[in-house]
Amino acid sequence: MKIRTLGRHVREGVKNLGRNGWMSFASISAVTITLFILGVFLILAMNVNYFAQTVEKQVEIRVFMDLLATKENITQVENNIKKLPQVETVSFIPKDEGLKQFKESLGEKAYLFEGLEESNPLPDAFVVKTKQPQDTATVAAQIKNFQYVKSLTYGEGTVEKLFSLTGAVRNVGIGFIIGLGFTAMFLIANTIKLTIVARRREIEIMKLVGATNWFIRWPFFVEGLLMGVTGALIPTVMLTVGYYYLLDAIHSSFEASQLFKLLPLFPLVYQVALALLAIGAFIGIWGSLVSVRRFLRV
C-alpha cells in the first residue's frame, strides 16, 4: 500500500469520527465504561494476588536442635537441610540470639526473664525458607527425621488452609477477570457494530462504484482503532489518578498502612494501561471489521 493511500485512509477514519459524532460518542463511552469496570477488577485481582504472595513469603520453618547436639552435629544438620532441593535459605540462630529475640517479643515484660543468659534453656535453631511456600510441609516432614533435630514448627494445619484459601482466591479472580473480559469484548463490539450498521448505505455505494473490499475496510479499521484506544485511554487516566489518591490516603494513616499492603503505583499502572489499551484496540478493530464484512457482499 502506498503511503499516500494509507494517509487517505487515516484521514477518512479520523473524519468519520466527527461525521458520526453521536454514534462515535456512544461507542467510545461503551468502551470507556466497560474497560473502567474491567480495570477496577484487574487492579483488585492484582492486589489480592500481591497480598497472598506477601503472606506466603512469611511462612517459615523453625527447626530446634537437641540440647546435647555439638557444633559438628549442628553443622551436619545445616548441610543436610541445604541439600534439600526445595530449600531457598537457611539461617542459624544461636540460643543466645534466640533468647534475645524472645525477650524483645515480650516488650515490657522482658524483665521477667532477666538472668537466664548464664543458664539459657533455649536450644539452637534454624529458620528455613522454601523456594515455593507450598513445599513447606514436605520440607518440614523431611527435616523432622534428621538426627539431632528435637522439634520444629511451621504452623501445621494453618499453613495448609492458608495455601488452599490463597489458591482459591487466585482462581476465582482469574476466572472473574476472564469472564468480564469476554463480556466487555462482546458488549463493546456490538456497540461499534451499531455505528457501522447506521452507515451501511455509504458502504454499499462505495462497493457499487468499484471500490475494493480493503479500500472500504481501511477507514473503518482506523476508526475502530481510534475508538478503542480513546475509550481505553480515558479509564486508564481515571484509574491512575484514583489509585494514586487511594495510596496517598492509605499511607497518610498509620493504621491503614499497616492493614492494607497495596502494590506501588508503578509499575502497576503500566501493566494495567498496557492491558486496557491492547483490549481496547483489539475490540475496536475487530468490531469494525466484522461489522463491515457483512455489507461488502453487494
Side-chain angles (χ1 to χ4, degrees):
M1 181 186 298
K2 295 181 179 179
I3 296 178
R4 181 183 302 176
T5 305
L6 179 60
R8 181 262 175 196
H9 293 323
V10 172
R11 288 193 301 271
E12 285 298 314
V14 174
K15 288 179 181 179
N16 287 339
L17 287 176
R19 290 171 184 164
N20 305 277
W22 283 110
M23 293 302 296
S24 298
F25 176 77
S27 297
I28 293 174
S29 298
V31 176
T32 299
I33 295 171
T34 311
L35 291 187
F36 178 80
I37 297 172
L38 179 61
V40 169
F41 281 97
L42 184 60
I43 290 175
L44 179 62
M46 292 173 70
N47 275 288
V48 168
N49 184 62
Y50 172 69
F51 175 75
Q53 288 179 341
T54 302
V55 173
E56 289 173 351
K57 288 179 180 178
Q58 294 175 355
V59 175
E60 61 186 22
I61 306 170
R62 284 193 171 263
V63 183
F64 301 102
M65 300 298 298
D66 193 305
L67 291 173
L68 299 178
T70 64
K71 289 185 178 180
E72 291 75 15
N73 299 147
I74 293 173
T75 301
Q76 180 183 349
V77 170
E78 182 177 9
N79 291 334
N80 289 337
I81 294 175
K82 288 180 177 178
K83 288 178 182 178
L84 297 176
Q86 303 98 325
V87 171
E88 183 175 30
T89 61
V90 180
S91 304
F92 176 62
I93 302 178
K95 59 182 180 180
D96 294 336
E97 179 64 24
L99 179 60
K100 181 181 177 182
Q101 292 180 2
F102 176 68
K103 291 169 67 175
E104 289 176 352
S105 68
L106 295 176
E108 296 179 354
K109 295 183 179 180
Y111 71 90
L112 296 173
F113 295 89
E114 292 293 340
L116 288 179
E117 288 77 9
E118 296 180 1
S119 57
N120 190 345
L122 297 180
D124 294 316
F126 291 102
V127 174
V128 181
K129 284 186 174 291
T130 58
K131 296 176 182 177
Q132 299 294 330
Q134 290 76 12
D135 293 330
T136 301
T138 302
V139 172
Q142 293 176 289
I143 296 175
K144 194 173 184 179
N145 295 323
F146 289 170
Q147 192 176 6
Y148 306 112
V149 172
K150 184 178 182 180
S151 63
L152 56 79
T153 61
Y154 67 94
E156 186 176 2
T158 303
V159 168
E160 287 82 358
K161 292 179 181 178
L162 171 66
F163 293 151
S164 177
L165 177 62
T166 54
V169 169
R170 285 194 181 100
N171 292 334
V172 170
I174 292 173
F176 193 81
I177 291 297
I178 293 175
L180 187 59
F182 277 108
T183 302
M185 286 177 60
F186 285 103
L187 176 62
I188 296 170
N190 285 331
T191 305
I192 293 175
K193 285 180 182 179
L194 294 177
T195 306
I196 307 300
V197 169
R199 295 155 59 192
R200 61 185 180 276
R201 184 174 296 277
E202 174 186 342
I203 298 171
E204 293 170 355
I205 292 174
M206 292 177 66
K207 183 67 176 177
L208 289 172
V209 298
T212 63
N213 289 345
W214 274 108
F215 188 87
I216 298 172
R217 283 192 179 109
W218 268 103
F220 289 100
F221 175 94
V222 174
E223 186 178 353
L225 176 63
L226 290 175
M227 285 192 292
V229 170
T230 303
L233 282 173
I234 297 172
T236 297
V237 173
M238 294 170 63
L239 290 170
T240 300
V241 174
Y243 194 72
Y244 170 81
Y245 282 109
L246 175 62
L247 289 177
D248 185 62
I250 290 176
H251 291 159
S252 63
S253 171
F254 177 78
E255 293 80 5
S257 63
Q258 296 301 310
L259 183 61
F260 299 103
K261 299 293 184 181
L262 300 182
L263 285 165
L265 186 62
F266 301 102
L268 174 68
V269 293
Y270 293 141
Q271 297 167 344
V272 173
L274 182 62
L276 294 185
L277 286 171
I279 294 172
F282 172 76
I283 293 174
I285 295 171
W286 176 61
S288 296
L289 294 184
V290 170
S291 302
V292 171
R293 184 176 58 185
R294 61 180 294 191
F295 298 114
L296 293 178
R297 304 188 185 94
V298 179

